[in-house]
Amino acid sequence: QVQLAESGGGSVQAGGSLRLSCAASGDTDSRYCMGWFRQAAGKEREGVASIDGNGSPTYADSVKGRFTISKDNAKRTLYLQMNSLKPEDTAMYYCAADAAHWFCRLGWKSGDYNLWGQGTQVTVSS
C-alpha cells in the first residue's frame, strides 16, 4: 500500500523560505497527479499546487510566483519550495496523490485525491 510522508515544515519569519518534501513509499511508479493542500485553523482545506504525471504544474492564485512544486520520480519524492512566505501561509500542509490519474482534475477537490500524508505544520510570523 502506498504511503505518503511529509517533512520540512517549521516556523519562519515573513519573507523567509521553506521546502516541504513528500516521500512516497510502497509503489513502483509515481507518475500520477500529486498535489499540496493546506488547512489553516478554522478554515477549509484548500489546494495550493499540483503536478501531473508529465510534470506540468498548476498553482492556486494565492501562491503563484512564490511557490514551486516539483517531483523527482526516481526518488519518488514531491517537493514544494515556498519563498516570500506570508503570515497567511500559516497552515498544516498535506501531500496528496490521485493515483488513478496521470492528469490532475480541475477544482482542487479533496475527494479527487485518494492518498494523503499526515501533514506538516508551517508557521509564518510577522
Side-chain angles (χ1 to χ4, degrees):
Q1 182 164 344
V2 178
Q3 292 185 321
L4 304 177
E6 303 96 335
S7 61
S11 296
V12 65
Q13 289 191 326
S17 298
L18 284 173
R19 189 175 82 154
L20 306 183
S21 298
C22 171
S25 61
D27 70 337
T28 58
D29 184 1
S30 61
R31 297 180 191 273
Y32 38 70
C33 172
M34 297 189 74
W36 289 96
F37 285 73
R38 66 186 180 187
Q39 187 167 17
K43 295 188 177 181
E44 293 187 354
R45 188 172 296 186
E46 63 175 358
V48 174
S50 62
I51 187 167
D52 68 19
N54 289 332
S56 296
T58 302
Y59 298 96
D61 288 343
S62 58
V63 306
K64 277 181 182 176
R66 301 188 298 122
F67 290 12
T68 302
I69 188 171
S70 62
K71 187 165 64 170
D72 185 329
N73 287 322
K75 295 182 178 179
R76 297 198 292 276
T77 301
L78 179 73
Y79 302 99
L80 185 68
Q81 177 66 44
M82 305 186 294
N83 298 329
S84 302
L85 282 162
K86 305 175 181 179
E88 51 263 44
D89 294 319
T90 295
M92 184 72 78
Y93 283 72
Y94 297 91
C95 168
D98 177 2
H101 299 91
W102 68 266
F103 60 92
C104 294
R105 287 175 279 183
L106 299 177
W108 303 107
K109 296 177 182 177
S110 296
D112 288 343
Y113 293 78
N114 61 319
L115 299 171
W116 290 86
Q118 299 277 7
T120 185
Q121 179 68 36
V122 171
T123 302
V124 184
S125 58
S126 58

